[in-house]
Amino acid sequence: MDEDILDTFPLREEIARVTGEAAAFAIDLLRPGWKLWQVLIILAVLLAAWLLRGWAAERMTHWMRTQTGRPKWQLRWLVIVRNRLGLVCFAALIWMTLLIMREVTWPSRSYLVGLAATIGTAWMVVSFVARLVRNPFLRKIVNWGLWIYVTLFYLGILDETKVFLDSLAIEFGDFHLSVLGIITALVVIGVLFAMARVLTKATSSRISRNEDISPSMRVLVVKLLQIVLYAGAFFLGLKWVGFDLTGLAVLSGAIGVGLGFGLQKVVSNLVSGVIILLDKSIKPGDVITIGDTFGWINALTARYVSITTRDGREYLVPNEDLITGLVVNWSHSNSLVRLDIFFGTSYGDDPHEVRRIAIAAAAGTERVLSSKPPVCHIVGFGDSSVDYILRFWIINPTEGLTNIRGNVYLALWDAFKANGISIPFPQREVRMLGDGAPQGDAKRPGHSTPVPGD
């Protein structure tokens, strides 16, 4: 009884029908006659194209290595053509063979050769068009998908293939999900995503050039535009192929619960990123210090902020850390920064003269602002020096802070040396006691017994 049920199952009947038609077509091709001769001619052209491709690719590669003065886009297209020489050679040879056969025999005896020429040319065109897809994985999917489509189209079995794929379905009541529906949905959503990507890129470039919008608001507008366009493309693609979107309400509720329990950090970073963009606390180009990391903001993303330091390292800081932690923004409201350096001089030097020389040395250093003159104050009397603090203002902290401090220190050194001002440093005197020294004057470290005398 089970076998009878399987025999009446529509899917099995459809598979058996397709398999039978394919076997009959293959047997018909292998019968002696002009069809078999055309198959052999196509195989011979394939072999010739493969051999010609190996010969031409080697010489083309050698020639390309000598074209060092050409623009990069030309070299890139030459590489693309070289990688597709097999299809190019096959299309050229098969069309030449078809023209010769139509001159020496009846057109009906070259039908399969003409079909192979048409499909081969379509494959060649598809392989070049697929280069528009930048992602390598997606490019392969598009390439193979279009190859299969054009092959089925020119073989005249596209409608039969659609019926067969539609029969491979899962049905629950009114719900019908077939392989054809899934493929159609993926194709439509992919095309809409590509259109959304192009539109987003064009709009983002225009928004980025708009000086009337703050940098943080530009990033926010671009992110919102991407969300709206991609989400719209996804739901429109599902609606286009006939999916019932009301069923997604339950799915969205489940996703919400999953976000609440399992993706708290991810959601926190996403929300923190939106808050950062809205309150304009930081923006691309700002110089910030977070913890021990000092650098300027390179990019704001939905999950993290990219910070590039002076040594070329790029730190990816989660948005949540910028909201909950202490952040020093050196260029939040303006690009002016005050720096402090400390130094000390000998008690024998006049402090009034020291202050005047220090201020003049700092004022003559590049990047130190003259509109906000440096100041110098005594901050204490140390054990061996009079201690001072020198304060000065700079602009554009993105050009570095350590380098300007070093330049000011070097200017102080030169100025003090030229004016005879000394910078004290700790000095210690070490006495080496010989064997003739009194026993009580020298003791070995760590021992309480005196060093033996004579």
Side-chain angles (χ1 to χ4, degrees), residues 107-408:
S108 60
R109 296 179 176 179
S110 60
Y111 170 75
L112 293 180
V113 177
L115 185 61
T118 303
I119 294 176
T121 305
W123 281 18
M124 180 186 67
V125 173
V126 166
S127 65
F128 282 103
V129 173
R131 286 296 306 177
L132 297 175
V133 181
R134 295 188 177 182
N135 187 280
F137 178 72
L138 293 179
R139 186 189 307 139
K140 288 184 179 180
I141 295 178
V142 172
N143 204 8
W144 282 96
L146 290 179
W147 277 353
I148 295 173
Y149 179 83
V150 298
T151 302
L152 297 176
F153 177 80
Y154 285 112
L155 288 178
I157 58 174
L158 184 60
D159 294 335
E160 290 81 356
T161 304
K162 290 181 178 180
V163 173
F164 173 72
L165 294 177
D166 190 58
S167 65
L168 303 176
I170 300 176
E171 296 184 358
F172 295 100
D174 295 335
F175 179 76
H176 177 82
L177 180 62
S178 65
V179 176
L180 179 63
I182 295 175
I183 295 176
T184 305
L186 292 176
V187 172
V188 172
I189 292 175
V191 173
L192 292 176
F193 268 34
M195 296 173 60
R197 182 178 181 275
V198 173
L199 183 59
T200 301
K201 189 175 181 180
T203 308
S204 300
S205 61
R206 293 178 63 92
I207 294 175
S208 301
R209 294 193 300 266
N210 193 338
E211 299 295 337
D212 297 333
I213 306 177
S214 63
S216 58
M217 288 303 298
R218 295 176 202 167
V219 177
L220 178 60
V221 171
V222 170
K223 296 300 179 184
L224 292 177
L225 183 63
Q226 289 177 346
I227 294 174
V228 171
L229 289 179
Y230 283 111
F234 177 74
F235 290 112
L236 183 60
L238 293 181
K239 188 66 176 179
W240 196 341
V241 297
F243 281 92
D244 188 8
L245 298 181
T246 56
L248 293 177
V250 179
L251 179 62
S252 62
I255 293 175
V257 174
L259 291 176
F261 287 99
L263 301 176
Q264 295 181 10
K265 288 294 183 180
V266 176
V267 176
S268 176
N269 286 321
L270 292 175
V271 176
S272 299
V274 175
I275 294 175
I276 290 173
L277 294 174
L278 288 175
D279 64 10
K280 304 178 184 180
S281 57
I282 61 174
K283 56 186 180 297
D286 281 354
V287 180
I288 68 172
T289 299
I290 176 169
D292 297 331
T293 304
F294 169 82
W296 60 89
I297 297 177
N298 186 37
L300 298 175
T301 66
R303 188 181 64 86
Y304 61 85
V305 173
S306 173
I307 300 177
T308 303
T309 60
R310 295 289 295 178
D311 56 2
R313 297 180 182 179
E314 186 173 1
Y315 291 85
L316 305 181
V317 181
N319 292 328
E320 184 182 8
D321 294 347
L322 297 175
I323 294 293
T324 59
L326 177 63
V327 179
V328 179
N329 192 337
W330 296 86
S331 54
H332 177 52
S333 57
N334 57 65
S335 58
L336 298 179
V337 176
R338 193 191 72 180
L339 300 180
D340 299 339
I341 64 174
F342 297 88
F343 65 93
T345 63
S346 173
Y347 276 95
D349 299 321
D350 183 6
H352 301 282
E353 189 70 11
V354 171
R355 292 180 58 201
R356 183 189 64 79
I357 294 174
I359 291 174
T365 305
E366 186 179 0
R367 288 181 59 201
V368 174
L369 295 180
S370 58
S371 57
K372 300 174 76 68
V375 294
C376 185
H377 303 288
I378 296 177
V379 294
F381 299 105
D383 295 337
S384 59
S385 66
V386 180
D387 299 327
Y388 299 86
I389 182 174
L390 177 62
R391 290 175 172 173
F392 55 92
W393 290 82
I394 66 170
I395 195 170
N396 294 332
T398 55
E399 297 181 11
L401 302 180
T402 304
N403 55 0
I404 184 61
R405 284 196 180 101
N407 292 337
V408 174

Side-chain angles (χ1 to χ4, degrees), residues 41-59 82-94:
I41 290 172
I42 294 172
L43 294 177
V45 172
L46 279 172
L47 178 60
W50 180 73
L51 295 175
L52 182 60
R53 181 255 177 198
W55 175 84
E58 182 178 356
R59 281 153 180 78
R82 184 201 60 185
N83 294 339
R84 288 154 180 78
L85 277 178
L87 289 173
V88 174
C89 293
F90 175 76
L93 292 177
I94 197 68

